[in-house]
Amino acid sequence: SYLSTHEQVANDEVEKMLAISDATAERYLNQLEHEGRIEQIGRTGRNVIYKKRSWNLPAAGRRVQDCVFPKK
């Protein structure tokens, strides 16, 4: 993946790499953020970048406690 060789990525870079619209790039990045794979740095506009998370969040619907301390 791009983030395995680069520290960060911006929406504009995703648009150019994938030849997609701004809205589609934003949807893709939001989905990756929702899945816990990346985190958004900055709030809005050109100052926003995305970085790969150093740890993964639990899957939707699971609690952090259940992932860290699974029930036996």
Side-chain angles (χ1 to χ4, degrees):
S1 79
Y2 182 84
L3 287 175
S4 64
T5 57
H6 294 78
E7 198 171 304
Q8 62 192 33
V9 67
N11 185 309
D12 289 346
E13 293 171 298
V14 173
E15 287 177 47
K16 290 174 187 168
M17 283 187 287
L18 301 178
I20 57 178
S21 70
D22 178 68
T24 300
E26 190 170 338
R27 275 196 308 274
Y28 288 170
L29 292 165
N30 286 338
Q31 180 63 36
L32 290 171
E33 185 179 14
H34 177 74
E35 292 173 6
R37 300 168 105 192
I38 62 174
E39 63 181 316
Q40 179 177 321
I41 310 297
R43 294 189 113 174
T44 60
R46 299 233 177 255
N47 295 327
V48 174
I49 58 167
Y50 297 86
K51 291 187 174 188
K52 186 176 179 180
R53 282 194 178 273
S54 57
W55 55 278
N56 287 327
L57 291 175
R62 295 188 65 195
R63 298 180 317 159
V64 172
Q65 299 90 322
D66 295 339
C67 296
V68 177
F69 305 106
K71 295 178 182 177
K72 295 181 182 183

